[in-house]
Amino acid sequence: MRNVVVIGGGIVGLAVAWELSKRGQDVTVLEKEGRWAAHQTGHNSNVVHAGLYYKPGSFKARMSVAGNRSIVDFARQYGVPVEVCGKLVVATEPAELPALATLAERAEANGVPAKQVSPAEAREYEPEVACVGALRVESTGIIDYEAVCATLVRLLDEADADLRLNTAALGIRPGRHGGVEVATGTEVLQADALVNCAGLQSDRVAELAGLTPSARIVPFRGEYYELKPERRHLVRGLIYPVPDPTLPFLGVHLTRMLDGSVHAGPNAVLALRREGYRWADVSPKDLADVARFPGAWRLAKKYAFPTGLEEVRRSFSKKRFAASLARLVPAVTEHDIVRHGSGVRAQALRPDGSLVDDFLIETARDQVHVLNAPSPAATSALEIARHIADQVSA
């Protein structure tokens, strides 16, 4: 039996650990926080993505389409709340119709069940929506990803996996007789293999292990509002805008959650700390890392004006945020929404300033490092886990 150390207790790390455990591996999971799913997994929109947006043949396209099925099957098997409700992607002006048609073509190429519908047909799904055309995507759903993680933890515990909260990896080096040694501060763990699923800290963990990662993590915070209870009737399901194909973010959208609440967002602003959920969360070290990275300046040169500036303005202006929502559902006003927390996206960025638009997994001897796994990684977690387990077992 091989021993594998997995760093990171979000949904990807836990899914990898469970897949390895099912294959007969002896697994240890290290999570530096005091709870599982503390960061990206516990702060996302809980959407089961269909695989609509991604380049055909890419990791994201293949793993999201397969993951859409596997994560729903997992939830139903283990009693995790899930609902396959479908969504609308809406063009709010004629200039967006060509992009909507391209999206429909990509859906067909990726094997995603989707169809273009007229404005009247769109209003049959969402009576309050405003659009000149829409795409109906049937396989999109909503789920409780924290509950998925709690189930994975239970399954791992039943399989006698070694699950360690409040345990950071402080040092990584090759083992004297092969494999990897991981120092935690209280002991040195001997492992045959290491899997890095550290999310917002994944590039730093890779460096700790002696790698020079091809991309760096730049954190982007996404802020959410929610509709007041008396205005929830304005949204029946999920309503998304046509995304800007040059950006990795899907734009502010409306999502009815499993409890009936309706979340609105997220926007996208640079986080001033890797795990910074408010403007007040500032890390000089994290900011210095961004400032020293040439790719960040090249990205800023391309997107700071007007895109980045508008995102910052929207962060501070409830009125602007509401106006973005009103493009989709005109009845929404700034009086209808209240703040509802935020999440931080671990976006990998290359030195030339280009955003890594696919899952990025790099390997070294006895090591696998997941260096870019933002959305739709939660949807794809079980598929990512199978891919990584194949690499570890090879």
Side-chain angles (χ1 to χ4, degrees), residues 183-201:
T184 66
T186 58
E187 65 179 307
V188 176
L189 301 174
Q190 309 288 329
D192 296 305
L194 169 76
V195 181
N196 167 17
C197 300
L200 286 155
Q201 306 293 338

Side-chain angles (χ1 to χ4, degrees), residues 8 85 114 117 233 256-257 355 375:
C85 53
V117 297
H233 68 276
R256 177 172 287 276
M257 309 303 287
L355 296 158
S375 179

